[in-house]
Amino acid sequence: NAGVMQNPRHLVRRRGQEARLRCSPMKGHSHVYWYRQLPEEGLKFMVYLQKENIIDESGMPKERFSAEFPKEGPSILRIQQVVRGDSAAYFCASSTGPGYEQYFGPGTRLTVT
Amino acid sequence: QKEVEQNSGPLSVPEGAIASLNCTYSDRGSQSFFWYRQYSGKSPELIMSIYSNGDKEDGRFTAQLNKASQYVSLLIRDSQPSDSATYLCAVHSGNTPLVFGKGTRLSVIA
């Protein structure tokens, strides 16, 4: 399966812990996007990355959240000191470039207890 | 602030009918337009992309784009209960991120 992969699919963290979400883009794609979706709400853009570069992080909260897409390995979205409000589905998508079709991974459901 | 507007629904259509989903966008410079389907608890799935004015057909789906009216629609012919989902319109312009509408919930009644 050459689709977008995300892991873990489900993640439970206690308040104050760190959450690390991983995304491997579709084969041939070098552009990665992270979105957050709260229950019954729309998709909210968080960050757009290319290999080793953050292109646009305008949707990322200023504190506790960071993202990277290293030269080797998956893209990682890191949430430090999680709070209950961070509970959501986090989706990763990839594309061949800006403006082209984005394909989504299955998502990571984060629950903060 | 670039906006993409969709009627939240639910839009209910009988099985076999045509479902018409509409979307308007605020940025006149938008260049790329996409329709995604999202089943409850699942990730968005790309259905159609359209880049130029007019119609684009793919099986039972037709996307229609009118840039002058800043309007894009999705028609689903011969609707099936399995088409029941939330349909997301997404619009891209320039170097800005893809902007998603909040989605229209479609219910196809058998």
Side-chain angles (χ1 to χ4, degrees), chain A residues 50-108:
Chain A
Q50 274 186 279
K51 286 284 187 181
E52 301 185 277
N53 286 306
I54 296 175
I55 307 301
D56 186 335
E57 56 181 349
S58 59
M60 195 97 98
K62 293 286 187 281
E63 297 178 352
R64 303 188 298 110
F65 286 72
S66 63
E68 62 178 6
F69 190 13
K71 186 177 181 180
E72 300 292 335
S75 175
I76 295 175
L77 179 68
R78 184 182 292 111
I79 311 172
Q80 296 176 305
Q81 300 173 349
V82 296
V83 300
R84 288 220 173 103
D86 296 333
S87 296
Y90 291 83
F91 294 104
C92 167
S94 72
S95 73
T96 55
Y100 292 96
E101 292 90 346
Q102 291 185 18
Y103 295 90
F104 282 78
T108 294

Side-chain angles (χ1 to χ4, degrees), chain B residues 63-105:
Chain B
Q64 299 175 317
L65 175 62
N66 184 328
K67 289 187 178 180
S69 301
Q70 296 174 240
Y71 176 94
V72 57
S73 65
L74 179 70
L75 301 178
I76 307 175
R77 288 183 299 282
D78 189 23
S79 295
Q80 302 297 308
S82 59
D83 294 326
S84 298
T86 296
Y87 289 80
L88 305 172
C89 173
V91 176
H92 178 267
S93 59
N95 292 320
T96 59
L98 201 59
V99 179
F100 282 83
K102 291 189 176 180
T104 298
R105 192 176 303 174

Side-chain angles (χ1 to χ4, degrees), chain A residues 9 33 35 37 40-45 48 55-56 58 91 98-107 109, chain B residues 32 34 36 38 40-46 48-49 51 56 88 92 94-98 100-102 105:
Chain A
R9 297 288 300 273
Y33 313 81
Y35 296 87
Q37 188 173 42
E40 303 302 319
E41 293 195 12
L43 278 168
K44 297 294 186 187
F45 167 79
Y48 163 29
I55 307 301
D56 186 335
S58 59
F91 294 104
Y100 292 96
E101 292 90 346
Q102 291 185 18
Y103 295 90
F104 282 78
R109 268 93 182 150
Chain B
S32 310
F34 308 93
Y36 288 83
Q38 187 175 25
S40 181
K42 302 294 185 182
S43 62
E45 174 192 6
L46 180 67
M48 296 279 288
S49 59
Y51 299 92
K56 180 181 177 182
L88 305 172
H92 178 267
N95 292 320
T96 59
L98 201 59
F100 282 83
K102 291 189 176 180
R105 192 176 303 174

